[in-house]
Amino acid sequence: MNRKEFEEALMSTIVEYISDQVILRYAQACKKATVLFSGALIGYKDAVTSLNELKKDGWTLTAVLSKAAGEVITEERIKNDIDPDAIYVEGAPVNGRQIVDDSQFVIIPSLTINTAAKVANCISDNLLTNMISRAMATGKPIVAAIDGCCPDNKVREQLGFKVTEAYKAKMRHNLEDMLAYGITLTTDYSLCSKVNEVFSAKISLPALDNSKPAPKKERIVSAKMEPAVQSVSQPVKKAGASGSVKLDKKVIGRVDIAKNARFKTIVVRQDALVTGLAKDEALNRGITIVKE
């Protein structure tokens, strides 16, 4: 490598490092979520685990409890299990509109049958449904876990949930309507990975060097709802890379890898210098770099 090529490689590495730091700080500032508890206990344990994982990932969580959640789950339990940065309970003075506007994201763990039905039918008659409506109106991403409202949940069956198939069909239809509104549905078990997945797609940034790979296992509580839940995941999944591309450059940086993330293999010149950040990016994305 001659002096000019060395200087180009050094400058590329410095620029990439600075860019990554800017991206990381911007992404961190955007990790503010409003967490709406509507009162369902099915899936609550997994929701606690997922929400604590999000906190470890740097998310700021503001919890809002409906009247039912305040009675069934209780404010004290939420504080002990999750320790959110702020917590509000319906009935006390709460500016739900402002809370949503100050957040970048809305998370609904353990969505109840009642709340799902109201959202599906455009009913906003309490604090939580008004906040969900506000989030949709302002384009805020919403991720909801369906453990507590899926008619095919095995736990619900064990608890003696015996209604007609017509009633179950209506419940499934409510979830399909929520999907159509742009709300991402998942399970409490997969809530953390799904939120991070949607967040990465929403802010339109390349994968961050410190991001954690999503768990390969995803527990679906309803076999009948599985296609619907997965249909929302498709636009934001990073998987599915195929084919190869050739980059005719002397210096291959992280941005070059991120821009070609849809390819499984990236072919570079024999004399190309691949920066350390580029190698890390390729490793994180499962991309193979091949020299001619």
Side-chain angles (χ1 to χ4, degrees):
M1 180 187 297
N2 58 38
R3 181 183 179 86
K4 183 178 180 181
E5 290 175 336
F6 174 77
E7 289 177 349
E8 289 178 352
L10 179 61
M11 183 58 67
S12 176
T13 300
I14 292 173
V15 170
E16 286 187 16
Y17 177 78
I18 294 174
S19 298
D20 283 348
Q21 293 305 307
V22 171
I23 289 173
L24 287 171
R25 292 192 181 189
Y26 172 72
Q28 199 64 33
C30 291
K31 287 186 172 182
K32 296 180 180 180
T34 295
V35 184
L36 304 178
F37 288 92
S38 53
L41 285 174
I42 297 177
Y44 176 78
K45 184 177 179 180
D46 285 335
V48 168
T49 300
S50 291
L51 292 171
N52 280 314
E53 287 176 356
L54 286 172
K55 288 189 66 178
K56 290 178 182 178
D57 285 344
W59 282 83
T60 298
L61 304 180
T62 296
V64 180
L65 283 65
S66 67
K67 287 183 179 180
E71 296 171 358
V72 176
I73 302 176
T74 75
E75 180 180 358
E76 182 179 1
R77 184 176 180 182
I78 296 293
K79 287 180 178 178
N80 292 333
D81 291 344
I82 302 164
D83 189 24
D85 296 86
I87 186 167
Y88 302 91
V89 181
E90 186 174 12
V94 182
N95 189 339
R97 180 189 182 101
Q98 190 62 53
I99 292 173
V100 171
D101 290 349
D102 290 342
S103 299
Q104 301 295 328
F105 221 91
V106 172
I107 302 171
I108 313 173
S110 302
L111 179 68
T112 60
I113 296 173
N114 187 51
T115 300
K118 288 184 176 182
V119 173
N121 289 281
C122 305
I123 298 173
S124 302
D125 62 350
N126 58 29
L127 178 61
L128 261 61
T129 51
N130 270 294
M131 292 178 72
I132 295 170
S133 177
R134 176 64 180 177
M136 289 193 289
T138 55
K140 298 290 174 69
I142 303 174
V143 176
I146 65 172
D147 303 56
C149 62
C150 177
D152 306 297
N153 188 291
K154 298 301 180 181
V155 175
R156 185 175 296 283
E157 290 183 8
Q158 295 170 5
L159 293 175
F161 185 71
K162 298 178 181 179
V163 298
T164 64
E165 283 303 315
Y167 193 91
K168 289 183 178 180
K170 178 58 179 175
M171 291 172 65
R172 296 187 196 106
H173 191 268
N174 288 340
L175 295 177
E176 291 169 1
D177 283 344
M178 291 179 67
L179 283 168
Y181 300 159
I183 296 174
T184 299
L185 302 184
T186 185
T187 63
D188 283 298
Y189 175 80
S190 302
L191 193 58
C192 175
S193 59
K194 186 61 66 177
V195 167
N196 282 325
E197 196 174 274
V198 175
F199 172 76
S200 296
K202 182 66 178 179
I203 62 176
S204 301
L205 293 176
L208 304 178
D209 293 337
N210 70 340
S211 60
K212 297 180 180 179
K216 293 182 179 180
K217 178 183 177 183
E218 177 155 341
R219 185 188 305 160
I220 302 297
V221 296
S222 168
K224 296 181 180 180
M225 281 303 302
E226 182 174 355
V229 172
Q230 290 182 338
S231 69
V232 177
S233 303
Q234 296 304 322
V236 296
K237 279 189 177 179
K238 301 295 187 298
S242 62
S244 63
V245 64
K246 179 180 177 181
L247 302 182
D248 190 16
K249 299 178 63 178
K250 287 187 177 181
V251 180
I252 305 299
R254 187 192 65 83
V255 175
D256 296 311
I257 303 300
K259 286 182 178 178
N260 293 280
R262 65 185 181 280
F263 297 102
K264 193 172 183 179
T265 303
I266 295 179
V267 181
V268 301
R269 294 164 42 165
Q270 184 63 39
D271 61 345
L273 172 65
V274 182
T275 68
L277 290 174
K279 292 178 181 177
D280 290 342
E281 185 73 14
L283 180 63
N284 289 337
R285 292 180 180 270
I287 297 172
T288 302
I289 300 176
V290 178
K291 286 195 173 184
E292 287 184 314

